[in-house]
Amino acid sequence: MYFIFLGTDNPDCFELRRDTKIRHSAYLDAATGLVSVLMSGPTMDSEGREAGSVMILDAPDRESVAAFFETEPYHLAGLYGATEVLIWNWKRGNPYL
């Protein structure tokens, strides 16, 4: 099952994002359990600064996604002001079909 994670950073958290980025990237790269990170990248604000996150995940259920984010470094650091997890029916461009 595929999921989209959308995270929006709290205001004025550019330094927090920068200081946590290496741990965040390592966490996503090491995901080998129930959740696989298929694609990820930052959203940008109007000035070209990173302001949030988008991830495409493969997981058996929403509970597995929630457990994955309990220990995700950006989440632990309090970077996100808002998050959303959507079930996604990935059709066009899906190399796994």
Side-chain angles (χ1 to χ4, degrees), residues 1-94:
M1 188 173 235
Y2 301 110
F3 296 86
I4 298 173
F5 170 85
L6 303 169
T8 304
D9 294 0
N10 281 307
D12 301 318
C13 282
F14 306 112
E15 283 130 14
L16 178 60
R17 175 176 273 276
R18 182 198 62 220
D19 295 346
T20 314
K21 187 183 242 359
I22 291 173
R23 289 191 312 273
H24 163 78
S25 295
Y27 185 83
L28 298 186
D29 290 344
T32 59
L34 293 174
V35 177
S36 297
V37 181
L38 304 179
M39 289 191 279
S40 66
T43 58
M44 311 301 279
D45 68 13
S46 61
E47 296 177 23
R49 296 176 297 198
E50 295 181 0
S53 301
V54 175
M55 296 176 216
I56 306 298
L57 309 167
D58 185 5
D61 50 46
R62 189 180 291 274
E63 292 77 19
S64 299
V65 174
F68 177 77
F69 280 102
E70 285 178 8
T71 55
E72 192 275 324
Y74 281 169
H75 169 76
L76 290 176
L79 178 66
Y80 297 126
T83 61
E84 187 172 8
V85 175
L86 305 168
I87 297 171
W88 186 35
N89 187 8
W90 188 4
K91 300 248 185 197
R92 189 167 292 118
N94 185 342

